[in-house]
Amino acid sequence: MIGSFRGGNGFEVETAVTDSTVDDSSEGPPGRASYLIEGRRVTVLDLFDAGLLAQGTRLTFRRKRSGMAHTAQVTEDGRIELNDGRRFKSPSTAAAAASGRGPFDGWTAWELDDGTLLDVLRQKLLDTVAEQPSSGGLVAEGAANRHTWLKGARKQADSGAPITLTVRDLLDWWGLSRRGYLATAQVSAELANHGLSTVPDFTAVGLDGRVALTGPSVDTEDEKEAATEGEEMRMTGAPGPVTSDEEAEDDESEPIQGQTVGNLPSALRSVESVSSSASFEEAFTKMRLNGYSQLPVLNGPRNLQGAVTWESIALARYTDTDASFSRAIVKAHAVSYADHLIDVLPFLEQFGFLLVKDQTNRIAGIITVADVAAEYGATARPFLLIGVLDRQLRRVISEGLDLAEVIALCDPEGIRRLTSFKQLSYGDYQQVLSSQRQWDRLGWPLDRKAFTDRLNALREVRNELMHFNDKDKVGDAAIPMLRNMIELLREYGG
């Protein structure tokens, strides 16, 4: 949900509401300071409007290894204009376009003539607005504390000693218990404002997975030189290379949505392995002790040779009782922890299991058909109940209320051209049942506010499930709520 207001510097900004439910009566709308700390990503336009950048300010992007320098200037509308006339809202996109490669952290790439980085100006803006008076209350206090904590996390990252914590503990700084779309976008934005990323990506691992808060990435050339083969890190919000001169709306990419491989419990739990010089006895013992049906064969944490299975061992020994262990090694496939689960299903069908690489390309776990079946089974149960709830809501509204009055509430200007109850959405159900007039027509001896509050909570669950983004199993927790609501509708809806 988005709103807007005029900040102290006279420019309009938007405020974002997270997936967490906030009591609107507890305090007034957040001030400018609260917004910048807990809203969207800071932009070059914000710096321009705050007087930290002026029209015509020259920016330089110096390449560390090649020695090349790219120049640009700030335009009257707060964009970065390259020498060829292309304009960008995003410093990272502008840096990639100027160099013809990427990705880059544009905030630490572009500097003013006096050597000041855009990132320094961004931090100055955040500090300035954080010091402005706010409306007070727990939300403002939490935002201010979080700002201080993120500044400290950035200092530790820059010193080479990044903070590590679980995803659950990270979310707790925002007062969140799960990763809905809006919540994830908010956390990603605030991390990006402080030049921070999580390794591994906090959206792609389980709630109890540990992540490190790292600082801005270095120049791509230096990064490739410094990283060993296959060890480049995947980081939250890392911008991709520019493929056209169309500018990206956000400075960084969207947070990962949808279920990822890393959110499966076994994906990054570590896995037993053997080397290609192992014996049948070693493989047999490890498989029996751990209850495995397959065992990866690794000559080093990133050097995957294949795997052995009960079937491949039996076939090798059946074909030749004196066969060497290498005869039992079969092909195995590895995927990234950040890959979308639905995208790896063809490989899972082909191999029966998949090995999982972490952010440094180490083999960190294994997933099987049973793991994925359990995951989708858990999603299916609340998904089916959501369908029943939808039908029950439509039934009680269609049988108890007047269609013309319902349409007047849901489509007062006739834009949607509603003509039947079948065209109503879940949001329409909420709109109708929130009306005291329509509620009274139903004649239920129930509290309308408590009822509609529960409908709204179930709407959030519904949205996550419909987008296959139930990373944190909110659907499982909602099953009793769904069943109770369905039973209530059956009892009072006739």
Side-chain angles (χ1 to χ4, degrees):
M1 180 177 176
I2 303 295
S4 64
F5 58 92
R6 288 273 166 185
N9 292 308
F11 50 98
E12 189 173 67
V13 295
E14 295 177 338
T15 56
V17 179
T18 71
D19 299 85
S20 300
T21 301
V22 177
D23 183 359
D24 295 333
S25 64
S26 62
E27 58 182 285
R32 172 64 175 167
S34 178
Y35 158 68
L36 267 182
I37 296 172
E38 60 179 301
R40 54 161 175 78
R41 288 174 171 84
V42 174
T43 67
V44 175
L45 180 59
D46 289 324
L47 303 184
F48 184 85
D49 286 335
L52 296 172
L53 284 176
Q55 179 181 350
T57 299
R58 188 170 71 167
L59 302 174
T60 303
F61 172 24
R62 306 181 193 280
R63 305 298 301 282
K64 295 178 182 179
R65 286 185 54 78
S66 67
M68 296 181 62
H70 309 283
T71 58
Q73 67 174 346
V74 178
T75 65
E76 71 284 353
D77 56 354
R79 302 192 184 198
I80 297 177
E81 183 180 68
L82 303 182
N83 292 335
D84 60 11
R86 286 183 292 168
R87 294 184 174 191
F88 300 91
K89 293 179 181 177
S90 159
S92 298
T93 310
S99 63
R101 58 183 301 175
F104 297 101
D105 177 8
W107 291 91
T108 55
W110 295 104
E111 61 182 44
L112 280 62
D113 285 344
D114 63 1
T116 301
L117 298 175
L118 285 182
D119 179 57
V120 173
L121 297 182
R122 178 172 60 176
Q123 301 314 308
K124 183 177 180 180
L125 175 62
L126 289 172
D127 288 339
T128 300
V129 296
E131 294 170 358
Q132 293 179 6
S134 70
S135 57
L138 294 177
V139 173
E141 182 181 349
N145 291 339
R146 191 163 61 248
H147 173 70
T148 301
W149 178 72
L150 289 170
K151 283 175 63 67
R154 172 65 185 274
K155 287 182 179 179
Q156 288 196 224
D158 289 345
S159 70
I163 291 175
T164 62
L165 71 173
T166 66
V167 174
R168 193 184 305 277
D169 289 339
L170 176 68
L171 295 178
D172 191 54
W173 277 97
W174 282 262
L176 301 168
S177 60
R178 64 184 183 88
R179 294 166 290 181
Y181 176 78
L182 293 177
T184 299
Q186 179 188 5
V187 174
S188 297
E190 290 192 41
L191 289 173
N193 284 345
H194 287 269
L196 293 167
S197 301
T198 62
V199 179
D201 192 319
F202 81 94
T203 65
V205 297
L207 279 174
D208 294 313
R210 297 191 68 82
V211 297
L213 295 177
T214 63
S217 58
V218 297
D219 188 313
T220 301
E221 292 175 342
D222 291 339
E223 188 174 3
K224 289 184 177 179
E225 179 77 14
T228 57
E229 183 177 359
E231 286 190 74
E232 294 167 19
M233 289 185 173
R234 181 188 184 101
M235 293 190 288
T236 302
V242 175
T243 56
S244 71
D245 59 1
E246 296 181 6
E247 63 183 74
E249 285 300 314
D250 291 319
D251 191 53
E252 313 292 354
S253 60
E254 284 290 309
I256 294 177
Q257 299 300 325
Q259 195 68 307
T260 57
V261 171
N263 277 283
L264 294 178
S266 63
L268 298 173
R269 189 178 286 170
S270 77
V271 62
E272 285 284 349
S273 65
V274 292
S275 69
S276 58
S277 60
S279 64
F280 281 107
E281 290 75 18
E282 181 184 357
F284 177 88
T285 303
K286 287 187 174 182
M287 291 171 73
R288 285 297 304 273
L289 287 175
N290 294 284
Y292 293 157
S293 297
Q294 55 283 127
L295 194 66
V297 179
L298 301 171
N299 289 342
R302 301 178 185 83
N303 189 357
L304 177 62
Q305 299 296 302
V308 291
T309 67
W310 291 124
E311 182 181 5
S312 72
I313 291 173
L315 183 60
R317 299 298 290 266
Y318 174 79
T319 304
D320 180 1
T321 55
D322 295 322
S324 64
F325 179 72
S326 61
R327 292 284 299 275
I329 299 175
V330 295
K331 186 177 180 181
H333 189 75
V335 298
S336 169
Y337 79 99
D339 285 341
H340 285 282
L341 192 55
I342 196 168
D343 293 336
V344 306
L345 293 183
F347 300 109
L348 188 61
E349 182 181 7
Q350 178 182 354
F351 294 97
F353 65 95
L354 294 172
L355 299 169
V356 182
K357 297 181 291 184
D358 66 11
Q359 71 277 4
T360 67
N361 278 349
R362 293 173 180 265
I363 301 298
I366 186 170
I367 62 172
T368 66
V369 172
D371 294 322
V372 176
E375 180 67 23
Y376 281 114
T379 301
R381 287 189 291 273
F383 189 91
L384 294 173
L385 288 173
I386 285 288
V388 175
L389 174 62
D390 193 273
R391 290 191 294 273
Q392 285 292 107
L393 287 168
R394 185 186 301 118
R395 184 179 65 81
V396 298
I397 289 174
S398 63
E399 292 181 359
L401 303 177
D402 180 74
L403 178 60
E405 292 187 9
V406 168
I407 292 176
L409 275 173
C410 301
D411 189 23
E413 298 180 1
I415 297 174
R416 295 164 57 192
R417 298 182 180 180
L418 298 179
T419 59
S420 73
F421 289 108
K422 292 181 179 180
Q423 294 172 280
L424 299 181
S425 67
Y426 191 94
D428 292 329
Y429 306 147
Q430 288 184 272
Q431 177 78 7
V432 171
L433 296 176
S434 294
S435 164
Q436 186 66 57
R437 176 183 175 85
Q438 301 304 316
W439 181 263
D440 291 342
R441 287 184 180 277
L442 292 174
W444 292 351
L446 302 171
D447 182 74
R448 179 178 60 85
K449 185 178 185 304
F451 186 92
T452 54
D453 283 350
R454 177 55 57 88
L455 279 185
N456 189 59
L458 293 176
R459 175 191 58 80
E460 293 187 6
V461 175
R462 181 182 185 275
N463 288 345
E464 301 299 338
L465 291 170
M466 291 301 180
H467 292 89
F468 295 95
N469 193 43
D470 191 18
K471 291 181 174 69
D472 303 323
K473 301 297 181 295
V474 65
D476 282 356
I479 286 178
M481 297 190 338
L482 285 163
R483 286 177 173 161
N484 290 338
M485 176 62 82
I486 291 169
E487 288 301 317
L488 193 65
L489 290 170
R490 285 173 175 165
E491 179 178 353
Y492 289 99

